[in-house]
Every structure is written in structure tokens, then in C-alpha cells.
Amino acid sequence: MPRFRQILDTMPAYKPGKAVATPDGRSYKLSSNESPYDPLPSVVEAIAEGARQINRYPDPGAIKLTEAIAAKYGVPAEHVALGAGSVTVAQQLFETVGEPGAEVVYAWRSFEAYPLLADLAGVRSVMVPLKGEDHDLDAMAEAITDDTRMIFVCNPNNPTSTAVRRAELEAFLDRVPERVLVVLDEAYREYVRDEDVPDGLDLYRDRQNVCVLRTFSKAYGLAGLRVGYLIGHEPVAAAVRKTIIPFAVNHLAQVAAIASLQAEDELLERVDRVVKERARVREALLAQGWTVPPTEANFVWLRLGERTLDFAAACAVEGVAVRPFPGEGARVSIGDPEANDAFLAAAAAFPR
Ligand SMILES: *Cc1c(COP(=O)(O)O)cnc(C)c1O
């Protein structure tokens, strides 16, 4: 029997959001925070055109896409590092700091990939409990030790949907030593409407140790193609570029991401629709008597505790897949109006 690393026995497995369906075929997937919209025709066309070149390796430096991202934000191309989804960029970040004794600090509960990636990289996780549904940035600052190499701040936080405000985040960053890398995971940035929630790109500019993670998976609707990126200062971005597996970002992902940036107005208009639905869903839940944290993302969070799995099962009966975190709560993505109505009906029927 081959010997494997011990950590593989204790590592949590990543649980992807599942789909469910009723016997008569109703199925609403609100479990993975995906875009509910079909890909734009212009993006599908770019992918079809790109398919004609797949006998060739992709551009390993993804130069066109890197330049398009740099131009969009007005940052130097050297500050951009790509990966096969921002989860992979996060994994690359762990590769850049992972060595015996290294620690990473993040809130818990937060994005479930963090503990997995830390374990894989041999980095010790220091999980700082949320305060209510929010990051406890004071406690996170206090958790920094000489071994801390990296801190993740998921803003807005997956799965609790809450966002850290500018003043508190700046005060926190002022307390973090410059030798510690702070990663602002902004997978849901396009859904943020509260102006007090800072754009990480404004914070990274004067801070050498701050970087921002973004993705094409959520607002841009390319979850199936796997492309995300980091924006950070040259040493950070360069370190991340060194850890990429050659050709990780495939050709179709590159061309689709470029086409999506070209169709940004159309895509952001869809984001606006989701934001309107988000308000409608949250108000309806509040009217039903639920406690729902304010959300700046494309999902809502219900802290159901021991009833979480029962709630997910009740939603499944209506064809609605939600993402349960057993013993804690359920995360429910905002879908199209029909899906949201199906979810609201299931929620209304469930005892508060
Ligand atoms: C969905 C999500 C990501 C993005 O994942 P991709 O690998 O880009 O699809 C990153 N961070 C958080 C917090 C997320 O919820």
C-alpha cells in the first residue's frame, strides 16, 4: 500500500453545491452562487471560434487577457496574475508561502476552500470565529504571530453574505505587519452596492502587502471555464505567476474572459437584475419572519443551526437546491425570479 501524506486522512473534502429535481422535473440550482443567465451569444461565439485553435497550447502568459484586465482597472500588467479560477490563484498563493511552520489566518466560517488549501500546502490554519455573521477583524489582528504569513479577508463573506466596511478594514490593515500578505477575496465584488464597502483595488495601491482576488466565475458567468486573477504589487504577482502550472488557464477560458470584458455592460446589467432580486428575496424573507443578515453578494444566509438539513430537504422537495452547512445554516443563491419564488414558497412553508 503506497504511503500518503497523513493530512489527506483528516482534510475536509470540498462539498460542491448539488442540483435537485422534483418528480415532475422542477429544478432550481441555488447552491453554488452561479449566474442564473445563459452565456451571452457573443461569448459563446468567441468560445466557438477559439475551439478551432485547441490543437495548440494556450498562450502560457495569457498576454491579451492580462492586458485587458490591467486596462480595465488602470493597473500595470505586471500587477496581474491569472489562474484557473480564483480558487486556483488562492492555491498558488498558498504555494508562495507554504513551508513548515507557516500559518494563515482567516475568519470562520468563511470560504470552505481555505482550510482545504491550507492543509494541502502544509500551512497551519488559524480560524478566527465570526462575530455574529461578520468578520472579527480585531480578533484577527490579535491572532497574528511571528509565523503568520498570510491572511484572507473574504469580502463579502461566503457564506454569511456580510461585508467589511472601509474604516474598519483600513484600521485592520494598519495593524498588519508588512511581512504578512493580506488577500482580499472579492469574488462577489460586482454585487456590492454599499458605498462604505471598500474596493480592494483602492486599498492595494498604497499597500505593498495587500492583494485582491477576483473571478470570472460569478458575475461574469464563466464558472464552467475556470478563470480568475489576482491584482497585487509586482513581487506578489510575480511570486504567484511562478507557482502556476504551465498552461493552467486554457485557451477557451482566455478568449471567453476577453469577450466577457468586451460585453461588460451587458453582464453588469444582469448583475443589477440579480441585485434587485436580492432585495426582493431578503425583504420577503424578513416579512416571513426570518432573520437574514444584510447581503452584499448574490446569496442570502439563514442561520438555521440544527434545523439546517431539514430546511435543505424541505427546499429540495420544491426542486430548490440550497447549500447547507450542517449545524450552522444554509446559503441560498439568488437565481431568476421563478427560482427565487420557488425558494420563497419553500421558506414560507418551513416553521420559523
Ligand atoms: C466562488 C468563490 C471563489 C471563486 O472561485 P473560482 O475558482 O474563481 O470559480 C473565490 N472565493 C470565494 C469566496 C468564492 O465564493
Side-chain angles (χ1 to χ4, degrees):
M1 167 91 163
R3 272 180 61 194
F4 299 106
R5 289 168 56 198
Q6 242 174 1
I7 193 82
L8 298 190
D9 298 330
T10 53
M11 244 170 57
Y14 184 85
K15 293 191 204 72
K18 294 199 188 87
V20 296
T22 60
D24 62 349
R26 280 175 299 139
S27 177
Y28 307 104
K29 186 164 182 276
L30 302 181
S31 51
S32 295
N33 299 343
E34 296 148 333
S35 166
Y37 300 102
D38 292 339
L40 291 175
S42 63
V43 173
V44 173
E45 220 167 273
I47 293 168
E49 182 58 34
R52 295 178 203 283
Q53 288 117 41
I54 55 169
N55 56 313
R56 304 292 179 190
Y57 281 104
D59 172 5
I63 290 170
K64 281 192 190 147
L65 175 56
T66 301
E67 283 175 354
I69 292 167
K72 167 176 159 65
Y73 295 117
V75 301
E78 298 72 40
H79 286 203
V80 180
L82 292 170
S86 59
V87 169
T88 311
V89 184
Q91 178 175 30
Q92 292 171 239
L93 280 164
F94 276 100
E95 295 286 341
T96 66
V97 301
E99 58 193 357
E103 291 179 357
V104 58
V105 173
Y106 52 88
W108 200 250
R109 171 158 300 268
S110 186
F111 188 32
E112 63 175 332
Y114 302 153
L116 183 76
L117 298 177
D119 284 356
L120 275 177
V123 173
R124 203 172 82 80
S125 284
V126 176
M127 299 155 107
V128 178
L130 295 170
K131 201 162 71 185
E133 307 296 0
D134 294 282
H135 273 75
D136 185 348
L137 291 177
D138 281 334
M140 287 174 72
E142 279 149 28
I144 297 170
T145 70
D146 287 346
D147 293 324
T148 306
R149 305 293 294 271
M150 186 160 67
I151 302 172
F152 274 85
V153 178
C154 187
N155 202 29
N157 189 44
N158 177 4
T160 63
S161 80
T162 58
V164 170
R165 301 301 187 279
R166 183 174 293 104
E168 50 174 334
L169 186 53
E170 283 181 350
F172 170 75
L173 294 175
D174 289 344
R175 290 179 68 181
V176 178
E178 261 185 53
R179 61 177 171 78
V180 177
L181 180 62
V182 181
V183 184
L184 304 175
D185 185 344
E186 297 188 336
Y188 303 97
R189 175 65 207 172
E190 293 81 2
Y191 295 99
V192 171
R193 290 295 176 272
D194 182 336
E195 289 184 1
D196 273 347
V197 176
D199 182 329
L201 293 175
D202 295 334
L203 298 174
Y204 109 96
R205 283 177 212 274
D206 334 309
R207 290 178 165 88
Q208 296 292 320
N209 64 330
V210 173
C211 65
V212 177
L213 278 188
R214 298 271 174 99
T215 179
F216 284 96
S217 294
K218 307 282 161 56
Y220 291 82
L222 297 183
L225 276 174
R226 316 304 304 127
V227 53
Y229 54 97
L230 166 142
I231 295 179
H233 288 273
E234 164 90 59
V236 179
V240 171
R241 279 194 295 266
K242 281 186 189 167
T243 61
I244 194 166
I245 305 292
F247 309 114
V249 183
N250 73 69
H251 182 60
L252 301 184
Q254 292 186 31
V255 297
I258 292 168
S260 299
L261 290 174
Q262 283 163 356
E264 195 156 48
D265 291 349
E266 265 174 290
L267 290 168
L268 294 181
E269 200 251 318
R270 292 171 155 195
V271 168
D272 272 337
R273 272 185 264 162
V274 170
V275 167
K276 287 203 184 84
E277 276 295 288
R278 167 177 89 190
R280 181 177 78 87
V281 168
R282 182 164 181 268
E283 312 263 294
L285 289 169
L286 292 173
Q288 289 176 14
W290 293 93
T291 301
V292 192
T295 168
E296 292 292 326
N298 65 340
F299 52 88
V300 291
W301 170 249
L302 299 176
R303 190 165 283 283
L304 289 140
E306 295 310 316
R307 300 188 309 149
T308 300
L309 288 178
D310 289 345
F311 181 79
C315 290
V317 169
E318 300 302 323
V320 179
V322 304
R323 178 67 172 83
F325 296 86
E328 293 177 64
R331 187 192 70 198
V332 187
S333 311
I334 304 298
D336 58 29
E338 183 186 330
N340 299 333
D341 284 343
F343 162 60
L344 288 171
F350 193 82
R352 242 72 76 224

